[in-house]
């Protein structure tokens, strides 16, 4: 099957479970094949995670769509992504929000993500090498935060970077499997929804896992 047919099949399957039309249209628009290693080119539109080197992965398209939908983006938001990886999720966010800040702890991945996003012409994404503190506090507050690596608990440092009423989408559980949580920040008690099981590489850092 050619790439275009594979992309159409993937979009068709995503549309069975994802209702946000803006998310589906961003997924239709961003060329995932440019974010995967050349040897994975033909698998770019299979609904699965793929290796991007350094022991890391580009997430499964369904999970990207589910997490993005949970942010409820309307177009005017400033969003933080923790875990740039290939840069694919950052591109999806850039299609749907006003400004995207994305942090990555592996310098080589941050560099190649920057290159591909520049080549695609995105001007509303800034990528930083991650600091010791989770996230990017100097850009806070954010309307939404998406964490694309699994944490042992919801990190307080990230909640503090989120606006009141903002959404944090994060896999929480063990090093090997997690539940995808959507946390809406409220003045008194945050609202937590469980979006289902998932498997992510570990989030490394203060308030998360040891390397
Ligand atoms: N969103 C990515 C994409 O679209 O390709 C997939 C990210 S991959 C599943 C998880 C990434 O999180 C890895 O690249 C890993 O190096 C990064 N990571 C882990 N802990 C981190 C931290 N504390 N800060 C920033 N990045 C981190």
């Amino acid at each position: 099957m050619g790439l275009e047919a594979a992309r159409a099949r993937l979009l068709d399957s995503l549309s069975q479970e994802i209702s946000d039309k803006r998310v589906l249209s961003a997924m239709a628009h961003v060329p995932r094949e440019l974010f995967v290693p050349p040897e994975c080119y033909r698998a770019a539109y299979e609904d699965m995670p793929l290796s991007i080197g350094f022991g890391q992965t580009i997430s499964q398209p369904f999970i990207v769509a589910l997490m993005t939908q949970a942010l409820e983006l309307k177009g005017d938001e400033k969003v933080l992504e923790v875990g740039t990886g290939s840069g694919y999720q950052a591109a999806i966010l850039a299609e749907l929000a006003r400004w995207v800040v994305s942090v990555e702890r592996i310098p080589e991945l941050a560099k190649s993500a920057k290159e591909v996003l520049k080549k695609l012409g995105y001007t509303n994404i800034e990528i930083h090498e991650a600091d010791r503190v989770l996230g990017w506090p100097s850009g806070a507050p954010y309307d939404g935060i998406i964490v694309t690596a699994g944490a042992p608990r919801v990190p307080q440092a990230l909640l503090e970077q989120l606006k009141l009423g903002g959404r944090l989408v994060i896999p929480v559980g063990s090093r090997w499997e997690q539940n995808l949580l959507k946390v809406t920040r409220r003045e008194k008690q945050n609202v937590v929804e469980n979006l289902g099981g998932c498997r992510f590489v570990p989030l490394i850092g203060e308030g998360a896992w040891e390397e």
Side-chain angles (χ1 to χ4, degrees), residues 56-57 81 83-86 89 103-106 130 134 148 204:
Q56 307 302 328
T57 52
E81 177 191 26
T84 313
S86 68
Q89 173 77 72
V103 288
E104 171 56 53
R105 61 182 293 275
I106 299 177
L134 289 179
T148 62
I204 308 290

Side-chain angles (χ1 to χ4, degrees), residues 12-13 17 23-24 45 47-48 50 62 65 71 85 102 105 107 139 151 169 172 175 177 202 210:
D12 187 50
S13 114
E17 298 187 67
V23 172
L24 290 170
Y45 292 101
D47 196 11
M48 59 186 193
L50 295 168
F62 171 68
L71 288 173
S102 182
R105 61 182 293 275
V169 182
V172 173
R175 266 188 107 102
E177 51 187 7
E210 301 272 313

Side-chain angles (χ1 to χ4, degrees), residues 45-67:
Y45 292 101
E46 299 300 323
D47 196 11
M48 59 186 193
L50 295 168
S51 169
I52 53 170
F54 307 94
Q56 307 302 328
T57 52
I58 174 172
S59 308
Q60 178 192 353
F62 171 68
I63 292 289
V64 172
L66 185 67
M67 291 178 85

Side-chain angles (χ1 to χ4, degrees), residues 13 31-32 39 54 59 72 87 102 121-122 125 139 159 163-164 166 168 171 177-178 207:
S13 114
R32 190 170 186 256
E39 63 275 17
F54 307 94
S59 308
E72 298 176 30
S102 182
Y122 287 101
I125 307 175
L159 284 173
K163 274 188 193 164
L164 275 179
L168 165 64
E177 51 187 7
Q178 305 89 24

